[in-house]
Amino acid sequence: YQRRVRGFSYGYIQRHYWGNGPFLYWEIKQLPNFLLAAPMLLLVGFLTIQYLRRHGSLSDLLTMETVGYGHVTCLAVIELVNMNNQVVTRFLCSSCPLFFLYCTRLVKPWDRLV
């Protein structure tokens, strides 16, 4: 029985029916979805670049704050490479409160928030 089992069916279903997998979603017909996902992914890119510019040394990077920035960056990369881009807003906004803090800071600087 164990020799006949080839693995979990979830990965096969994701790949075969939904087209999920590394770079499987990257097709010309999906260009509008990439354009819709671009603002979220660009904001995450700007968030990461600004954080790395402020905290350039290795000792500054070993903090709990870095975990949050690393989390949102890794999720954006995973989404871009491996997932359907139609879910980028749900995926990032539901799991990364840091993203909302960054957008708030873009609208109103930190010194005026309090």
Side-chain angles (χ1 to χ4, degrees):
Y1 173 75
Q2 290 181 351
R3 290 182 183 176
R4 288 185 288 173
V5 176
R6 295 186 180 196
F8 295 109
S9 63
Y10 186 73
Y12 171 77
I13 292 169
Q14 288 275 325
R15 194 174 304 107
H16 185 72
Y17 293 106
W18 295 339
N20 287 350
F23 300 106
L24 290 178
Y25 195 70
W26 288 49
E27 299 175 350
I28 293 292
K29 68 179 182 179
Q30 300 299 337
L31 186 61
N33 291 327
F34 278 99
L35 293 175
L36 288 172
M40 288 288 281
L41 296 172
L42 286 173
L43 280 171
V44 170
F46 290 141
L47 176 144
T48 304
I49 290 169
Q50 284 185 356
Y51 182 75
L52 291 175
R53 283 184 182 163
R54 276 188 303 156
H55 304 284
S57 68
L58 185 60
S59 62
D60 287 341
L61 291 176
L62 300 175
T63 63
M64 285 303 289
E65 185 181 10
T66 306
V67 173
Y69 284 93
H71 178 250
V72 71
T73 304
C74 287
L75 288 180
V77 169
I78 288 169
E79 191 281 328
L80 185 63
V81 171
N82 208 33
M83 291 176 61
N84 187 328
N85 281 327
Q86 295 172 350
V87 298
V88 67
T89 53
R90 286 178 277 165
F91 186 64
L92 290 176
C93 291
S94 67
S95 61
C96 301
L98 186 65
F99 180 77
F100 291 109
L101 291 173
Y102 178 73
C103 291
T104 303
R105 197 181 89 195
L106 287 177
V107 175
K108 196 170 189 179
W110 287 115
D111 57 346
R112 297 183 191 164
L113 284 176
V114 180

